[in-house]
Each structure stands twice: as structure tokens, then as C-alpha cells.
Amino acid sequence: MARVVSRPPNKSLLRSLREPQGRLLGRSGEHGAANQIFLGFSTAVTMIFAKETPLNPEVAKQGEGEATGPLAVFKGLKNLPAGMPQVLIVTGLTWLSWFPFILFDTDWMGREIYHGRPDGSPAEIAAFQEGVRQGAFGLLLNSVLLGISSFMIEPMCRKLGARTVWIASQVLVCIAMALVAILGAWSLGDFGGNVQDAAATEKGLKTSALVLFVFLGLPFAVLCSVPFAMTAQLAASKGGGQGLCTGILNISIVTPQMIVAIGAGPWDELFGKGNIPAFALASVFAFASAVAGTIMLPKMSKSSFRSVSMGGGH
């Protein structure tokens, strides 16, 4: 009879499998503490420097009979300023083009560019983590460019018009998302054979992916400002209702996010190409939003434009 001999587990292998997860948990704790400190600092600055005017009791009584909550939103849909429905449609298409990148950016870097897997071998896990780190670094530089570009939004809109700036930013997003899909497919060897075996080509792909991450800070600055500024101008032209219009605008932002969050996974599985199909579809939505903006967006006064930043995290 054959005798089964049990072998002790490979301790070095088990250690290598546990270490990446431990490092990730350690970083999560560090990031959580940093977030809490920054949140507390921001709250303290707001409480110290923000000036708030108490609401006049007489004005409050005048609004007691008005609809509030979801009922007010549905009622507001019937009384939107002229041009606001078109802004909502273009905003929805714009966020359909952006949210695949927001959702899958670092995952794409780890999988498609660095050829890693979060549940693979130790080497694949290490490659995936390196890709995520590089993607996070790219997003850091993206935020720096976003901050710098924010100072340019108002001058550009006064010079070219908010409508033109919005459309131009979506053309850039269309090109960038198409390049993301092309780089991912190229890195995986879908173009020209096993290009990932060539060290020089692989380095060029990684650098190009990082540059794309940084470049997208410019159109994202437009996204965080121009739609809200146009909404404020349209509401002002009607004589009020800016808060309600902004609330309805937020609905056109979160709805595409839910659509992408629910549908991107099955869409990618349909083609079996990782995150690439989601980015290819994002490019299509960006092109559609640029075309829709050209046709539908109202022409706003250049001289009266004032930049308004996005409130809340989406």
C-alpha cells in the first residue's frame, strides 16, 4: 500500500504571500490617520474663517409652504431655466466618459501596464502593487496639474466662452481615453506580437501611461468647474433657484456613475480584455458629449463668467 507523506508548508512562500497584504493594511491605516488629520484641519479652518449670515426669520416663514426634498426636485424639473435640460444631458454624457477612468485607473495601471494580478503569484502581486503605486503617483501629479489649471479656467472661459472650453475638454478626454485603451491593448501584446518582452517598449508604455494620468488633470479641472458655473449663470438669468438647479445637476452626475459602476464589469467580461473595453466605451461617450455640447449647449456671456468649483466628492 502506498504511504502518503505530508510535507511541511514552505514558510518562505507563505511569508511572501502574507507580506503584500500586510503592507497594504499598514498603508491603509497610515492613509486613514492622515485623512482624519486633514479632515480635522479642514473643519477647524472652516469654523474659524467662514462667515455665516443667520437666516432672517421672516424669510424662513415665507418658504415654509414650499416643497422640500425629492418633491422639490421633481417640481424643479418642470421649471428649469432655458438651456438647463441641455446642460444636464451633456453633463450626463461627460460623466459617462470620465467615470471608467475614475473607477479603474490604478487597476488598469497594475493589470494592463505592469501585467500584475492582485490574486496571482507573488511576482504578479508585486507587479500589481508597483503599478498601483505608479498610478497613485500619476494621480498625485494629476491633482497638481488640476490645481494649476483651475486658475486658467476663468480666463479661458472669458476668452473663448464656457461652451467652447467644455467641448474642447471633452475632445481631449476622447483622445486620452482612446490612448488608454490602445496602450493597454499594446502592452498586453494585442498589437505587433509580444511587445511586452521588449524592455525599451515596456518602459515607453509605462512612461506614456503616467503622462496620460497627469495630462487628464487639465480636462478634469474643466469638469469640476464649468458645468457648475453654467448652471449658476442659467439660474441667475431666471432670477434665482441656483441651489435647486445645482442639486438637479448632481443627479445628472451620480446617475452615470451608478450606470458605469453596475455595467462596466459585465461589459469588460463580454470582451474578456480586462479594463480596456470600459476605456474604449469612455472614449465613445466623450466624443458623444462633445458632439452633443456643440449642438445643444447654450451660448453664455463671456464677460459675466465666474468660475464655480464642484461641491462634494463624486
Side-chain angles (χ1 to χ4, degrees), residues 86 157 240:
Q86 291 86 339
C157 289

Side-chain angles (χ1 to χ4, degrees), residues 104-116:
F104 301 121
D105 45 16
T106 53
D107 187 74
W108 171 80
M109 186 73 88
R111 291 177 184 271
E112 274 78 14
I113 301 301
Y114 280 77
H115 312 125

